[in-house]
Amino acid sequence: MNNFAKSLLVLWGELGLNQRVSLVVASLAVCGGLLAVVVWSRRPDYQLLYGRMSEKDAAAVISHLQTLNIPHQVTAGGAGVMVPQDQVYKLRMDLAAKGLPGGDGVGFEIFDKGQFGLSDFVQRTNYLRAIQGELARTITQLQGVRAARVMIVQPENRLLLTDQGVKPSASVFIDVGGARLEPEQVNAIRHLVANAVQGLLPDAVAVVDNRGHVLSDELKQDPTLGTASSQMRYKQQVEDYLSRKVETMLAAVIGPGNAVVRVSAEIETEATTSTQEKYDPDGQVVRSQTITEDATSSAEQRANGGAVGVSANIPEKAAGNEPMARPSSTTEQNRKNRTTTYEINRVTTNTTRSPGTVKSVTAAVFIAARAAAPAAAGAPAEAAPKRPPEELAALRQIVLNALGLKPAPGQPAESLVSLQETPFQAAERFPAQIEALRAESRWMGWTEAASRWAAVAGAALVFLYFLRLMARQKPEPVPVEVLALPPEAMGRALPNRNGTVTPEMLNHLIRQKPANIGAALRDWVAAPAPSNKN
């Protein structure tokens, strides 16, 4: 150990100043890196316990962690708490047993404790509070919603109602920070609240954000299109849909950004109901038929006896020798009656037209001119060739088919779809704004690239500086001590005292200081040969 320490001291003494500084800096860097690795390895791995908590819940959770002496970190401006990874699930179960975090408002846990002697009004109020709290907790789980509050208004349940048209309503306040919710998310909130309350319609739910914007106003459904705003909104939706439909189709044919389509639609805004009755005299239908048949038949005959009546009392016939006639009577009667009633064919048509029917559609289409071919060196630039009329007519017919338009006989297609080819001037119309956007994009790109390569450039500069320091370190020429040994040192070093350099002397010096011998040999090799002047 002593020999090793002495060799280190000897080596330290042989180093130059720059070499000593470099060695010290490298040793400190290695020690600092090892210390940082040890500290980082002993640091606990933190994981999120709860996030997006209210200030009240966060304070309760932190107080519980401080009571248990558990290390923790507060993130997201106090809305999140992080704890060591191995204690996350245990702490969640412990906090859940204590009812933490409670969330915004109270939920159905209000009924966990039995409360006797409460009136019906208090029970209904608690039930309403529970629904509001549960809905607020559910809405808070949506992406982009930081906090939410729900207020529900229900009509009183009375035996005698004076106003039968009172309906339940609800208001939802959401905190989205600086973000913005999509219409689909707002519509989901409306339907979520409406389906949780009996008799509540989605249009009776108002959604307001923290910036004072009514998000649900544009989502209310008005089937009768009674208001002007509803009419304009529906008209805009129809026109935007048809314009986007045609524009995306043309973009695939002539290239993106080379077509501008605007559609104007005439919308039916009135609800009409018509009843039509049509009679057809030729189309008769038997409605009723009555047939009556009467038949009468009678016969009378007497076997013996005179005639009955005046003929029996006439003397001439009585005195004669003629035989007495035998009386007989026969009666027969037949009657048929047939009555037929016909109904005239009648067609009744009831037609109800709801508002929103598209009555007519017209479109205006601008197509960018074709790009000019690159001119040869020194040749004048040529104008871009125009599209032939046949191609424009084909494109117009494609637009007509896409919109479902059929011109009437004799009606030109240009009256429904106006299609023109013209050069676009969008790049020259706003040069200042476009140049500002380009400069901003370049600056953002440079900033991002600089932040990405700053660390790499710093490390490269440090490495180059270290190489430069190493390049400046040149071995100091140390003459061979035997050349400068005094006579007494030469006598102690070697047995012969004639001052000549022997192999034994060189071996002895090499074993003592091999660096000096190596430097001297390099100097001898690099030194110029002496010139002989004879």
Side-chain angles (χ1 to χ4, degrees), residues 288-300:
S288 63
Q289 185 176 16
T290 303
I291 300 176
T292 303
E293 294 184 0
D294 295 336
T296 303
S297 179
S298 63
E300 182 179 356

Side-chain angles (χ1 to χ4, degrees), residues 203-502:
D203 289 341
V205 179
V207 182
V208 183
D209 63 358
N210 57 325
R211 293 176 293 180
H213 297 164
V214 182
L215 304 179
S216 60
D217 191 18
E218 299 181 356
L219 299 177
K220 290 184 178 180
Q221 299 179 358
D222 191 357
T224 61
L225 295 179
T227 61
S229 60
S230 300
Q231 297 175 10
M232 293 301 296
R233 184 169 62 251
Y234 179 73
K235 184 174 183 295
Q236 182 181 3
Q237 291 176 356
V238 173
E239 292 176 351
D240 291 344
Y241 167 73
L242 295 177
S243 301
R244 186 168 56 255
K245 179 180 179 181
V246 176
E247 194 167 348
T248 53
M249 181 185 63
L250 293 178
V253 178
I254 61 177
N258 291 328
V260 178
V261 182
R262 294 296 180 267
V263 176
S264 177
E266 184 179 357
I267 307 299
E268 179 67 40
T269 59
E270 297 179 356
T272 58
T273 302
S274 62
T275 303
Q276 182 181 6
E277 292 185 3
K278 180 184 290 186
Y279 294 92
D280 186 8
D282 297 333
Q284 298 180 355
V285 180
V286 176
R287 181 178 182 180
S288 63
Q289 185 176 16
T290 303
I291 300 176
T292 303
E293 294 184 0
D294 295 336
T296 303
S297 179
S298 63
E300 182 179 356
Q301 184 178 2
R302 301 180 68 178
N304 295 317
V308 179
V310 180
S311 61
N313 297 323
I314 297 176
E316 292 85 4
K317 292 183 179 182
N321 294 326
E322 294 179 1
M324 185 177 296
R326 302 180 63 181
S328 63
S329 176
T330 303
T331 303
E332 183 177 357
Q333 182 180 359
N334 295 326
R335 186 180 63 180
K336 293 183 178 181
N337 186 10
R338 183 174 180 178
T339 302
T340 303
T341 303
Y342 291 93
E343 186 72 24
I344 299 177
N345 187 16
R346 182 182 66 176
V347 178
T348 303
T349 304
N350 294 325
T351 304
T352 301
R353 293 183 178 179
S354 300
T357 305
V358 180
K359 298 172 61 176
S360 62
V361 174
T362 57
V365 182
F366 282 102
I367 298 178
R370 291 177 176 173
E382 298 181 358
K386 294 286 186 179
R387 290 183 172 87
E390 294 79 8
E391 184 178 354
L392 296 179
L395 292 176
R396 182 180 291 106
Q397 186 62 38
I398 290 175
V399 175
L400 288 172
N401 296 336
L403 296 176
L405 301 178
K406 295 181 180 180
Q411 182 182 11
E414 290 81 359
S415 61
L416 297 178
V417 176
S418 174
L419 190 145
Q420 295 182 7
E421 181 184 9
T422 180
F424 285 6
Q425 304 293 333
E428 287 76 9
R429 286 165 58 187
F430 308 101
Q433 291 82 347
I434 295 177
E435 188 63 28
L437 291 176
R438 290 178 179 175
E440 184 178 358
S441 62
R442 287 195 299 267
W443 174 257
M444 292 180 62
W446 293 342
T447 305
E448 184 179 358
S451 61
R452 183 182 303 174
W453 297 100
V456 178
L461 290 176
V462 172
F463 182 71
L464 292 176
Y465 181 73
F466 181 75
L467 291 180
R468 186 176 180 182
L469 290 179
M470 295 298 295
R472 290 181 177 180
Q473 299 298 325
K474 296 182 178 180
E476 298 178 358
V478 180
V480 181
E481 297 181 1
V482 68
L483 302 179
L485 284 177
E488 59 274 9
M490 184 72 69
R492 293 194 302 269
L494 296 174
N496 56 349
R497 301 182 182 274
N498 53 5
T500 60
V501 179
T502 61

Side-chain angles (χ1 to χ4, degrees), residues 110-111 115 117-129:
I110 193 174
F111 297 105
Q115 298 178 357
L118 296 180
S119 62
D120 181 64
F121 174 77
V122 176
Q123 291 288 358
R124 286 189 286 107
T125 304
N126 290 338
Y127 177 73
L128 190 61
R129 290 177 58 196

